[in-house]
Amino acid sequence: MTYCVAMRLDAGLLFASDSRTNAGVDHIATFRKMSVFEVPGERLITLLSAGNLATTQSVVSLLRQRLAHPGGTEREHLLNRPSMYDVAELVGRTIKETVARDANAQSLGQGVDFGGNFLVGGQIRGEEPRLFHVYAQGNFIEAGQDTPYFQIGESKYGKPIIDRVVRYQTSLKEAAKCTLISFDSTIRSNLSVGLPIDMLLYRTDSFAKVEPHRIGADDPYFNKLSRGWGDGLRRAFAKLPDEDWFR
């Protein structure tokens, strides 16, 4: 399992993903779940993935392969799609292609979930930043001002925190802080989510080259947030009134 968050805010875009995958308690490994495709000055496209690791890695590999070997001017790839909607549609078709191929090839795969979900966001010059949740079936939905963020993977522990804090007008710094707290809460409650965390922040219309920031177990800011959040919760809990119907 994994945990990924992406936000489409007035100030820009945020992407964050953990890097743990496991096939049982005795087989835990680290894999990057964030993929970045960019042409500085023209477009930024970021993918976060959750689900069957073989499927999600195959999808990203196919997208990169077709980018490296386009096979003619008519071949669709991530860096020649005219809009982020077309990018999301291409990712959806690639997911369907990969799932159909693997499911049909695995005669012993009864009961195996070959699905994978993607968060696909970015900005192409000429349009606003956009963010999509692309499902295993290939269809997708788009984030908006009323719903400015998506989660995939083990989302239930971090969702209440983000719901209380993040709005479309939230700054990128505040959103990043809230996102890391949601990861801290998820990591504490679920062993299938773990450090390091990859985080990318993008300001609207910047089109600058980006570099994801990796947050490990020794990151001083993450550890300070974790301690401060835990201490703050305990202080807030201690100040809450006791019930008056139990004696």
Side-chain angles (χ1 to χ4, degrees):
M1 186 55 76
T2 190
Y3 177 42
C4 300
V5 178
M7 299 181 182
R8 162 51 174 127
L9 307 171
D10 184 47
L13 296 162
L14 176 151
F15 303 92
S17 58
D18 86 317
S19 54
R20 176 170 292 182
T21 185
N22 67 293
V25 294
D26 59 347
H27 190 187
I28 295 174
T30 296
F31 290 93
R32 190 181 295 271
K33 314 293 178 59
M34 179 184 293
S35 302
V36 179
F37 304 81
E38 62 180 330
V39 179
E42 195 270 330
R43 70 179 60 201
L44 167 76
I45 298 167
T46 302
L47 276 61
L48 304 180
S49 59
N52 185 293
L53 186 62
T55 297
T56 57
Q57 286 193 341
S58 290
V59 169
V60 173
S61 294
L62 274 175
L63 292 170
R64 291 194 183 279
Q65 177 180 309
R66 290 165 182 173
L67 183 62
H69 307 284
T73 57
E74 300 302 316
R75 185 65 175 266
E76 296 179 346
H77 57 75
L78 290 177
L79 299 186
N80 71 2
R81 296 296 80 213
S83 71
M84 284 302 303
Y85 180 94
D86 294 293
V87 167
E89 196 271 336
L90 176 59
V91 173
R93 281 192 280 119
T94 308
I95 296 172
K96 288 178 66 177
E97 173 189 349
T98 302
V99 171
R101 179 200 67 194
D102 293 350
N104 291 334
Q106 295 290 333
S107 59
L108 298 179
Q110 293 88 348
V112 176
D113 183 2
F114 291 98
N117 289 346
F118 282 79
L119 301 182
V120 181
Q123 185 176 20
I124 295 174
R125 189 169 290 281
E127 66 175 12
E128 293 293 313
R130 302 175 75 177
L131 173 64
F132 299 87
H133 181 176
V134 185
Y135 296 98
Q137 294 76 16
N139 57 331
F140 50 86
I141 59 174
E142 184 172 4
Q145 293 192 24
D146 293 332
T147 307
Y149 79 92
F150 291 133
Q151 300 167 286
I152 53 176
E154 196 60 65
S155 61
K156 58 182 175 289
Y157 302 104
K159 188 176 189 303
I161 298 166
I162 297 176
D163 279 344
R164 287 180 178 269
V165 174
V166 173
R167 301 294 182 267
Y168 180 72
Q169 295 78 18
T170 302
S171 70
L172 284 174
K173 282 189 175 182
E174 290 295 305
K177 179 166 59 176
C178 180
T179 298
L180 290 177
I181 291 171
S182 82
F183 269 86
D184 177 65
S185 297
T186 303
I187 290 169
R188 284 177 175 271
S189 298
N190 193 301
L191 290 175
S192 68
V193 177
L195 296 166
I197 299 165
D198 293 310
M199 177 172 281
L200 187 153
L201 302 176
Y202 170 79
R203 295 191 182 280
T204 298
D205 294 331
S206 66
F207 293 105
K209 185 172 179 60
V210 297
E211 185 67 34
H213 179 64
R214 174 151 281 204
I215 299 163
D218 59 348
D219 186 270
Y221 179 66
F222 182 77
N223 289 324
K224 183 177 180 180
L225 277 183
S226 178
R227 292 191 299 270
W229 180 249
D231 293 344
L233 283 177
R234 284 186 286 272
R235 287 195 299 269
F237 179 80
K239 292 179 180 179
L240 292 174
D242 295 330
E243 46 73 29
D244 58 4
W245 48 261
F246 181 75
R247 295 291 185 270

